[in-house]
Amino acid sequence: QKEVEQNSGPLSVPEGAIASLNCTYSDRGSQSFFWYRQYSGKSPELIMFIYSNGDKEDGRFTAQLNKASQYVSLLIRDSQPSDSATYLCAVGGGATNKLIFGTGTLLAVQP
Amino acid sequence: GAGVSQSPSNKVTEKGKDVELRCDPISGHTALYWYRQSLGQGLEFLIYFQGNSAPDKSGLPSDRFSAERTGGSVSTLTIQRTQQEDSAVYLCASSLVVWEIAKNIQYFGAGTRLSVL
């Protein structure tokens, strides 16, 4: 079992819809959870981070964390074609907070 | 600087040659991380620096890989006797260490794309 798992997609949604991206992790001691967006050929760009159970909203983005279920998700409301990218879930913790990444979900927003 | 800077952006080398990749972190960031992103492998952790010391080298794939950091700033990742499987994008990230380390946010550079022929 991979430490951080994501559906590779592609996840295709129409413009204006809600895109839901999911991630599960295996280490119950994980303390920090991040969503990065990566456009093709570019480096990861931080979208959201969450540390506590529940929801965290920032503009069109909402991160949800459920530590009991070892599950973290990212919702993108009013999806735009510019949101089309690979979304990487990353989990951190421990003395160094090194990040363990999932392989990413490719999101395609159709105009 | 304004962001994490990496050089070169692209490096093509022949199998067996040594390469050096450079990372200049965000000014004031004491934590520095190297990751590698390979096709089909995702992003994997290589090494972590706090200041000039490397308390976690657990991700370095072999003894051909080494890294150092000087002056608490610039870091160099060296790959000796490169192999074709070393071809990947090498990403550097830095973070401002706060007291609750789990809340350190890592910001990534643009990466160095290494191609070993």
Side-chain angles (χ1 to χ4, degrees), chain B residues 15-81:
Chain B
K15 178 181 172 181
K17 294 286 179 70
D18 297 352
V19 295
E20 285 190 353
L21 311 179
R22 176 188 168 107
C23 173
D24 199 344
I26 293 171
S27 178
H29 282 195
T30 59
L32 186 147
Y33 303 78
W34 284 97
Y35 295 88
R36 178 170 72 173
Q37 189 169 32
S38 307
L39 278 176
Q41 297 289 325
L43 240 155
E44 58 175 331
F45 167 80
L46 297 178
I47 187 169
Y48 158 71
F49 285 93
Q50 178 52 49
N52 291 334
S53 64
D56 190 347
K57 306 178 183 180
S58 62
L60 294 179
S62 75
D63 59 7
R64 296 187 295 104
F65 287 72
S66 63
E68 65 175 12
R69 189 178 184 194
T70 56
S73 180
V74 173
S75 175
T76 302
L77 177 68
T78 300
I79 309 173
Q80 295 178 309
R81 305 181 302 283

Side-chain angles (χ1 to χ4, degrees), chain A residues 2-58:
Chain A
K2 292 182 181 177
E3 294 184 70
V4 179
E5 295 209 46
Q6 295 181 256
N7 188 322
S8 61
L11 172 65
S12 183
V13 300
E15 185 174 355
I18 295 175
S20 178
L21 304 162
N22 305 313
C23 173
T24 58
Y25 60 95
S26 61
D27 184 358
R28 285 195 171 274
S30 300
Q31 300 170 288
S32 51
F33 307 87
F34 303 85
W35 284 99
Y36 285 85
R37 177 175 64 195
Q38 188 173 30
Y39 292 111
S40 180
K42 301 295 185 182
S43 61
E45 171 193 11
L46 182 68
I47 297 296
M48 293 281 294
F49 59 90
I50 187 167
Y51 306 120
S52 304
N53 276 328
D55 295 0
K56 179 182 178 182
E57 187 174 319
D58 183 1

